[in-house]
Amino acid sequence: NAEYMGEVFSMAARTAQLARISFLRVVRRLSTLSHVDAAGKARMVCVAEKPITARSATAQARVHLGESAFTLVEQNKIGKGDVLTVAQLAGINGAKQTSTLIPLCHNISLSHVDVSCVLDKAAHEVVITASASAWDRTGVE
C-alpha cells in the first residue's frame, strides 16, 4: 500500500506539472482512492461497517540468480545454510507482521499463509509464490 500510494502521488505531481494545474486539484480528482482524503492526505480507512468475508490473495515473483549462484542454491551449498527455507520462513513471518511494517495497513488475523520457492533451472531463477487468506473486513492483498 505504501509503495502504491507513493506511485499515485508521483503520478499526480507529474500530471499537475504537465497540465500546469495545482497538485491539490489533481489529488482531489484522485480522492476516490480509499487511503487519500479530499485534501490529498493519507488516511487509514475505517472498515467497521464492512461485513466479514473470506479474503485471499496470491502473488508471484521471479528472482534471477545467475548460473553460479543458482548452482550453489540448487546444491544447498550457500555458507549460511538452506536459503530457500529461510526465504520461505521470512515470507511467512513478513505476512504475519504486515500491519507493523506497512503504514495504514489493518491488523488482520490470518487463517493461512503459504510461501513456496521453486527453482527454474532453465532460467536460473527462483519462482516465489505467496498466498494468504483470512476471514476479515478487509483484504490480505
Side-chain angles (χ1 to χ4, degrees), residues 11 15 18 21 24 26 28 35 40 43 45 64 74 82 85 87 91-92 97 101 105 115 119 135 138:
M11 178 184 71
T15 301
L18 291 173
I21 57 176
L24 185 57
V26 172
R28 282 188 185 128
H35 288 74
R43 67 179 176 96
V45 175
H64 184 74
E74 182 181 41
D82 183 357
T85 299
I92 292 169
Q97 299 298 320
L101 300 171
C105 181
V115 177
L119 295 173
W135 280 86
T138 188

Side-chain angles (χ1 to χ4, degrees), residues 6-7 36 44 47-48 52 54 65 70-71 93-94 103 122-123 129 133 136:
E7 290 175 19
V36 180
M44 183 120 179
V47 296
I52 295 174
L65 298 177
F70 183 88
T71 300
N93 194 44
T129 305
S133 60
D136 216 313

Side-chain angles (χ1 to χ4, degrees), residues 54-66:
R55 310 292 184 128
S56 65
T58 300
Q60 189 174 78
R62 300 179 74 88
V63 179
H64 184 74
L65 298 177

Side-chain angles (χ1 to χ4, degrees), residues 10-121:
S10 177
M11 178 184 71
R14 283 190 305 256
T15 301
Q17 193 174 40
L18 291 173
R20 296 192 188 280
I21 57 176
S22 74
F23 174 75
L24 185 57
R25 187 171 166 196
V26 172
V27 170
R28 282 188 185 128
R29 288 183 186 164
L30 296 174
S31 67
T32 57
L33 295 171
S34 62
H35 288 74
V36 180
D37 69 14
K41 302 285 185 187
R43 67 179 176 96
M44 183 120 179
V45 175
C46 179
V47 296
E49 299 297 319
K50 293 176 82 176
I52 295 174
T53 58
R55 310 292 184 128
S56 65
T58 300
Q60 189 174 78
R62 300 179 74 88
V63 179
H64 184 74
L65 298 177
E67 188 174 353
S68 59
F70 183 88
T71 300
L72 290 171
V73 170
E74 182 181 41
Q75 296 174 355
N76 197 18
K77 291 190 175 178
I78 300 289
K80 296 203 178 246
D82 183 357
V83 295
L84 296 179
T85 299
V86 171
Q88 178 189 27
L89 295 174
I92 292 169
N93 194 44
K96 292 167 51 178
Q97 299 298 320
T98 301
S99 64
T100 303
L101 300 171
I102 299 177
L104 305 179
C105 181
H106 288 87
N107 188 12
I108 298 173
S109 181
L110 295 171
S111 303
H112 181 73
V113 175
D114 183 55
V115 177
S116 69
C117 300
V118 178
L119 295 173
D120 179 346
K121 189 168 189 153

